[in-house]
Amino acid sequence: MRAAAVCALALAIAGGCGRSKARTATQDAALPRMIDAAVAIAPDAAPERGGPDDPLAEKLRHCPVTVEGARTTIADVEGGVALTVIADGETAIAEIHRRAAHLVAFTADQAARKDHGGGDGGGFMRNCPVVTRDTRIVAEDVDGGSRLVVQPTTASALAELRAETRRRHDALVNP
């Protein structure tokens, strides 16, 4: 990661790939300081998952699994996969309920929302274990949280849904 940041910065300072534009003495003198700065902001260690510097924090803001203190169990159910997300404390439980309700509404409205957000992310939370692309989600409140049943919109995608759910969960738990 550090090497990539340093290389990208060096290329930018040098004028980019394939350019023959001469650098000035000021640019040459600034290069070591800029490389040091790039190294300082691109540490080798990954940020703590869920911490303030987690690059996935924005992408996971609607994911009930990422509520602080949440514990998740995953089970195959007929035609889908069930995630039970529970926590201790009223605030965490209320947040799990809120996020679960958001995902239910999100998947119910997929067909009408082709250009959601207009960004590059696709709007489908590709890191949350609750898979939202081409799925239907039903949520129910349980003691301490919510149980979400996720079913693919096509039966042939069931095995892939189950595998993707577990892969994403493992990636969050063991980054």
Side-chain angles (χ1 to χ4, degrees):
M1 182 178 201
R2 182 178 289 184
V6 172
C7 289
L9 183 60
L11 280 173
I13 293 169
C17 295
R19 291 190 182 168
S20 60
K21 181 180 172 184
R23 291 189 326 258
T24 66
T26 304
Q27 287 172 321
D28 284 340
L31 185 59
R33 287 191 310 276
M34 294 179 91
I35 290 173
D36 287 343
V39 170
I41 61 173
D44 285 334
E48 176 185 341
R49 183 67 49 166
D53 297 326
D54 186 349
L56 295 179
E58 170 64 17
K59 294 181 180 189
L60 292 169
R61 75 181 183 279
H62 297 300
C63 183
V65 174
T66 62
V67 170
E68 187 170 341
R71 298 175 305 280
T72 305
T73 57
I74 300 171
D76 292 343
V77 295
E78 185 174 336
V81 62
L83 296 94
T84 304
V85 185
I86 59 170
D88 299 319
E90 290 181 28
T91 304
I93 294 168
E95 183 63 12
I96 290 169
H97 290 166
R98 186 191 70 75
R99 292 181 186 193
H102 174 81
L103 296 182
V104 169
F106 183 83
T107 57
D109 191 33
Q110 279 186 35
R113 183 184 25 77
K114 294 203 185 289
D115 295 325
H116 173 73
D120 295 327
F124 288 101
M125 299 188 325
R126 295 180 182 167
N127 298 294
C128 182
V130 182
V131 177
T132 58
R133 182 181 287 277
D134 299 325
T135 63
R136 289 179 299 276
I137 299 174
V138 176
E140 65 178 321
D141 292 349
V142 297
D143 287 339
S146 293
R147 180 176 186 259
L148 298 98
V149 176
V150 184
Q151 296 180 309
T153 55
T154 59
S156 62
L158 179 58
E160 183 181 343
L161 168 67
R162 290 174 173 166
E164 182 66 7
T165 298
R166 287 175 173 84
R167 184 198 65 74
R168 291 181 186 189
H169 183 262
D170 290 346
L172 284 179
V173 175
N174 304 308

